[in-house]
Amino acid sequence: MPRTVKKRRPTMRDVADFAGVSQTTVSFIINEVGGISIPEETRQRVWAAVEQLGYRRNAVAHGLRTDRTSVLGFITDEIATTPFAGKIVQGAQDAAWENGKILFLINTGKNPAIEKTAIEMMLERKVEGIIYATMYHRAVNPPDTIREVPTVLLDCFSRDHSLPSVVPDEVGGARTATEALLEKGHRRIGFLNNVDPIPATFGRLEGYKQALANYGVPFDASLVACGESQASGGYRCTLSLMQSTNPPTAIFCFNDRMAMGAYDALRKLNFRIPDDIAVIGFDNQEIIAEQLHPALSTIELPHYQMGWWAVKYLVEHGGAEAMRPVQHVMECPLIRRESF
């Protein structure tokens, strides 16, 4: 069997010989060195040689010389392995591509050792900056080495607010959901909340309370049921609320998974959605919200927009000696479907 001979990649010297110019001239043109007077005809001849020979610049070597690799690091805890927040990566990737950058993505699986090694690898490869992203909104303490390059926190924040971040407006989103139910005339609105002590748990409860206060409706703690933020938790909490002596006429759920459980409980009790009771979720997990019957109205976590904003801010402000640690809070809009 004949051995396949690997074709040699063309070099800068080959381009220079083909175009009939010096290698230095080729280097100046390809690397877009400013302040050098080179005739336009010579430039066109060099670029024609580059195209005809199929020459590719060594991006790694160029990056080491210029300290501009056009690569951004993207570290996640588990986003890359979940269908729920993949839009974060998509938004970041689209913004990077629009700005002539590519993402070097590593999913750590919540392993601190992998996270530390990942950051070291990115720094060794001269990334221009790092996006540090988490699966859900929370406070983080990333390794100090991450501060060696411009860094933006995505769906998380540092407790001392020393790094720029972008997070969803948990309070505003919950207020929007509750006010949508109040506008429909509901005054006994149940809230299925999460039990985990995270920003979303506190923020969404606060938004629910603010909406009630805005409409002059007293807060009633008996209308708040707490459980695991899964379908099973939503099921149990809904049964508890609906079997009380004065049940709600509408339910706002901490997330779409709890809403899915609420649907099951309401059907078990022979309640019709939205005729007998209205339901609104949170997250806009389309794989859930669009498949429920009736389709679930829900508050959207702006995953794509947050990914886009993080990269855009990094690209536009990362060159500053001290990037301003903006704490950006992004609106969570209501996606209206058929459940209220």
Side-chain angles (χ1 to χ4, degrees), residues 150 316-324:
E316 292 181 351
H317 302 279
E321 288 187 9
M323 189 165 58
R324 198 159 60 93

Side-chain angles (χ1 to χ4, degrees), residues 84-150:
F84 301 136
K87 287 185 178 180
I88 284 182
V89 177
Q90 186 65 54
Q93 182 174 282
D94 287 352
W97 188 253
E98 183 175 283
N99 287 276
K101 313 292 182 183
I102 60 173
L103 294 184
F104 175 14
L105 188 151
I106 295 180
N107 197 81
T108 67
K110 298 183 177 179
N111 186 318
I114 294 178
E115 178 179 274
K116 183 178 180 181
T117 301
I119 293 173
E120 290 295 337
M121 289 175 62
M122 290 178 176
L123 295 176
E124 289 171 0
R125 285 159 178 76
K126 300 284 186 178
V127 296
E128 295 181 10
I130 291 176
I131 303 295
Y132 185 95
T134 57
M135 175 60 189
Y136 65 89
H137 178 192
R138 59 189 174 89
V140 295
N141 294 297
D144 288 339
T145 52
I146 206 170
R147 298 173 185 271
E148 293 182 21
V149 293

Side-chain angles (χ1 to χ4, degrees), residues 28-29 31-38 43:
F28 285 160
I29 293 172
N31 292 305
E32 300 178 354
V33 177
I36 306 297
S37 179
I38 299 176
R43 292 180 182 275

Side-chain angles (χ1 to χ4, degrees), residues 47-267:
W47 285 119
V50 167
E51 183 174 354
Q52 190 162 341
L53 293 174
Y55 171 79
R56 288 189 178 87
R57 183 176 64 183
N58 187 324
V60 174
H62 178 72
L64 291 173
R65 288 195 302 271
T66 63
D67 209 29
R68 301 294 291 179
T69 60
S70 295
V71 177
L72 303 178
F74 191 104
I75 295 178
T76 84
D77 51 4
E78 55 181 336
I79 289 173
T81 60
T82 175
F84 301 136
K87 287 185 178 180
I88 284 182
V89 177
Q90 186 65 54
Q93 182 174 282
D94 287 352
W97 188 253
E98 183 175 283
N99 287 276
K101 313 292 182 183
I102 60 173
L103 294 184
F104 175 14
L105 188 151
I106 295 180
N107 197 81
T108 67
K110 298 183 177 179
N111 186 318
I114 294 178
E115 178 179 274
K116 183 178 180 181
T117 301
I119 293 173
E120 290 295 337
M121 289 175 62
M122 290 178 176
L123 295 176
E124 289 171 0
R125 285 159 178 76
K126 300 284 186 178
V127 296
E128 295 181 10
I130 291 176
I131 303 295
Y132 185 95
T134 57
M135 175 60 189
Y136 65 89
H137 178 192
R138 59 189 174 89
V140 295
N141 294 297
D144 288 339
T145 52
I146 206 170
R147 298 173 185 271
E148 293 182 21
V149 293
T151 296
V152 175
L153 304 182
L154 172 53
D155 205 19
C156 56
F157 60 95
S158 58
R159 295 187 187 280
D160 62 0
H161 300 302
S162 60
L163 291 170
S165 69
V166 55
V167 298
D169 185 357
E170 310 282 8
V171 176
R175 187 171 58 243
T176 296
T178 309
E179 287 182 347
L181 295 171
L182 288 161
E183 287 169 5
K184 287 282 188 176
H186 296 284
R187 290 300 180 267
R188 287 194 62 77
I189 300 172
F191 177 37
L192 309 189
N193 202 8
N194 182 26
V195 293
D196 298 320
I198 58 176
T201 301
F202 305 122
R204 295 176 194 181
L205 176 60
E206 176 60 27
Y208 167 77
K209 289 180 176 180
Q210 287 184 9
L212 294 176
N214 290 343
Y215 277 72
V217 177
F219 170 70
D220 183 349
S222 70
L223 288 173
V224 178
C226 300
E228 294 181 355
S229 59
Q230 305 292 336
S232 57
Y235 181 85
R236 288 191 295 270
C237 288
T238 301
L239 286 180
S240 174
L241 287 179
M242 299 309 297
Q243 291 175 334
S244 64
T245 55
N246 191 8
T249 63
I251 296 177
F252 167 45
C253 304
F254 173 82
N255 63 16
D256 296 344
R257 286 170 290 171
M258 292 190 84
M260 183 165 56
Y263 268 50
D264 289 341
L266 292 170
R267 286 201 179 93

Side-chain angles (χ1 to χ4, degrees), residues 20 22 31 96 112 115 136 164 177 197 204 241 249 252 261 277-278 287-288 293 302-303 306 315 318-319 330 335:
S22 70
N31 292 305
E115 178 179 274
Y136 65 89
R204 295 176 194 181
L241 287 179
T249 63
F252 167 45
I277 186 163
I287 195 172
I288 296 175
H293 298 286
H303 286 135
M306 289 193 298
V315 169
M330 190 157 283
I335 307 301

